Amino acid sequence: MSQLTFPKNTWYVAAMSDEIGTEKPLGRKICGESIAFYRPSANEIAAVRDFCPHRGAAMSLGYVEDGLLVCGYHGLKMGADGKTKEMPLQRVQAFPCMKAFAVEERYGFIWVWPGDQDLADPDLIPVQEWAISDEWAYGGGLYHINCDYRLMIDNLMDLTHETYVHASSIGQKEIDESPVDTKVNGDEVITSRTMENITAPPFWQAALEANGLPKDAPVDRWQRCRFTPPSHVMIDVGVALEGKGGFDAPKEFKASSIVVDFITPETEDTMWYFWGMARSFKADDQALTDKIREGQGGIFKEDLEVLEYQQANLKAFPDYDLLKLNIDAGGVQSRRVIERLIKAESAAKVALKDVPLQTISF
């Protein structure tokens, strides 16, 4: 069996909060684990293995009743701890317990820890400042993509492709004409690029106009991509009127946002991509939020096709040694962080197996 390409003892975004109601569960595979998510009550969230111990049916095809997850095949009722609580005309005390997963709801998302539940620490969920401030607005969506999740990380940590893949919206020749700076700070990887005294591309012209600024004025543009494990990429992007300070310009002279990217492995070669944009101008303008979300969704859909064909090519030519250029440094360094986490997780499992049973305390 090949080594996993993703760590499991960490927090991943599994769903958007509004995907899960109070009556129907949601079935989703995360890091190879088939999980049924449901709400025991309106303000609670639970996650158990999507497997009924009676006949192996998917619990996610059932419904929620009195805080329990009911199998839609024969009516077995399961609790948030994975234990069978009751079943019509049956004694259920000896029924095997299904795996329960640590799960939290924060920032409008459902976060799951697909590994060892006992190791899950809610304090390790990364704080999203834009999600807890009234000065920010957010709009986003979800794509299922048939590719290795690390290809999306590569894509987001090197925005040179915007010139070619997104030529009609955010791309421009100045992007690949500007050098990229890459820094590693522990497990965080940051790539950045600045472009001075340029014309804003169509997407940013619209953003300038929406913020009450002239769309055809010369601007300074920036891109700062920040990877944090296991697979989150936040990108500070924006334009400011030329000579006003660029990234540090006062709010009245710029249009800026955070591109939010939560990248969650489904299997070794499929993934869930939670995308969105948080902005700190005109936060109360819902029509603008909807317009930006629609435009951004179209932009990211262009990436989807590229990545799926890339995955197919890499499968067809597994022995080809891909080139690594200076623009690839962000993705390369991010992969090294992921590899360190996987190795540390594997080493911890081996160490636990080597401990004599009588010395293990519970």
Side-chain angles (χ1 to χ4, degrees):
M1 184 176 178
S2 61
Q3 184 183 27
L4 287 178
T5 59
F6 41 74
K8 297 182 74 171
N9 285 325
T10 187
W11 292 104
Y12 291 94
V13 170
M16 296 178 289
S17 289
D18 58 12
E19 288 188 87
I20 306 175
T22 56
E23 297 179 359
K24 289 289 294 181
L26 172 72
R28 185 156 288 168
K29 183 172 286 188
I30 305 294
C31 294
E33 297 279 358
S34 295
I35 305 174
F37 298 89
Y38 75 100
R39 295 188 182 277
S41 68
N43 297 317
E44 293 181 284
I45 189 71
V48 296
R49 177 162 287 155
D50 196 4
F51 186 95
C52 178
H54 171 223
R55 300 297 295 168
M59 295 297 294
S60 60
L61 297 179
Y63 57 93
V64 181
E65 181 179 270
D66 298 328
L68 300 177
L69 183 55
V70 184
C71 179
Y73 197 14
H74 295 96
L76 178 145
K77 295 183 179 181
M78 184 181 294
D81 56 2
K83 294 180 179 179
T84 301
K85 303 302 180 182
E86 56 183 277
M87 186 175 176
L89 301 178
Q90 305 298 320
R91 299 178 64 182
V92 301
Q93 289 85 350
F95 278 33
C97 181
M98 290 296 101
K99 181 177 180 179
F101 297 85
V103 62
E104 296 282 334
E105 183 169 16
R106 291 190 191 175
Y107 314 123
F109 297 97
I110 306 301
W111 300 74
V112 70
W113 183 283
D116 185 346
Q117 185 180 25
D118 293 335
L119 299 178
D121 181 357
D123 289 340
L124 296 178
I125 296 175
V127 176
Q128 307 298 320
E129 298 288 353
W130 53 264
I132 55 180
S133 170
D134 292 337
E135 296 182 2
W136 289 80
Y138 175 82
L142 168 63
Y143 284 141
H144 179 265
I145 306 179
N146 294 312
C147 77
D148 183 326
Y149 79 108
R150 295 171 299 178
L151 294 181
M152 177 58 85
I153 295 174
D154 295 343
N155 172 279
L156 295 168
M157 293 300 289
D158 169 28
L159 298 182
T160 305
H161 73 276
E162 288 184 358
T163 302
Y164 308 97
V165 180
H166 310 304
S168 64
S169 53
I170 56 177
Q172 58 185 137
K173 61 182 179 59
E174 288 87 355
I175 294 176
D176 58 356
E177 293 174 350
S178 303
V180 177
D181 179 65
T182 302
K183 290 184 172 62
V184 180
N185 181 18
D187 284 343
E188 182 180 73
V189 182
I190 300 173
T191 63
S192 57
R193 172 189 274 122
T194 58
M195 296 151 273
E196 296 181 347
N197 193 21
I198 65 172
T199 299
F203 179 90
W204 286 111
Q205 287 186 7
L208 285 167
E209 193 170 40
N211 205 26
L213 296 169
K215 67 178 184 179
D216 55 352
V219 298
D220 298 328
R221 183 181 180 187
W222 62 89
Q223 300 170 326
R224 297 185 179 183
C225 310
R226 178 166 51 89
F227 166 85
T228 54
S231 51
H232 314 320
V233 179
M234 302 293 135
I235 310 177
D236 287 308
V237 291
V239 293
L241 298 183
E242 191 269 332
K244 296 297 184 180
F247 178 82
D248 296 314
K251 290 181 64 174
E252 60 266 27
F253 296 122
K254 67 182 179 182
S256 61
S257 302
I258 299 174
V259 179
V260 177
D261 305 286
F262 294 121
I263 304 149
T264 301
E266 179 189 41
T267 66
E268 297 289 319
D269 51 15
T270 60
M271 55 162 282
W272 303 101
Y273 178 35
F274 298 87
W275 54 266
M277 180 172 281
R279 74 177 190 282
S280 58
F281 62 93
K282 291 196 172 182
D284 58 349
D285 190 335
Q286 184 59 46
L288 179 59
T289 299
D290 294 340
K291 183 178 180 180
I292 290 175
R293 179 176 57 236
E294 181 179 354
Q296 192 186 25
I299 290 170
F300 286 147
K301 199 166 186 179
E302 295 170 338
D303 287 306
L304 188 154
E305 182 179 34
V306 171
L307 292 172
E308 292 192 337
Y309 273 95
Q310 182 185 12
Q311 175 72 33
N313 269 347
L314 293 174
K315 284 238 174 199
F317 302 96
D319 297 326
Y320 191 89
D321 188 15
L322 296 178
L323 301 176
K324 293 180 177 62
L325 309 178
N326 62 331
I327 58 175
D328 304 314
V332 170
Q333 293 296 338
S334 299
R335 285 181 179 240
R336 288 177 180 171
V337 171
I338 293 170
E339 288 168 5
R340 286 201 302 269
L341 293 177
I342 294 172
K343 287 181 180 177
E345 193 171 293
S346 298
K349 289 180 180 178
V350 170
L352 182 60
K353 288 180 180 178
D354 290 342
V355 174
L357 184 62
Q358 64 268 23
T359 67
I360 300 177
S361 59
F362 294 91

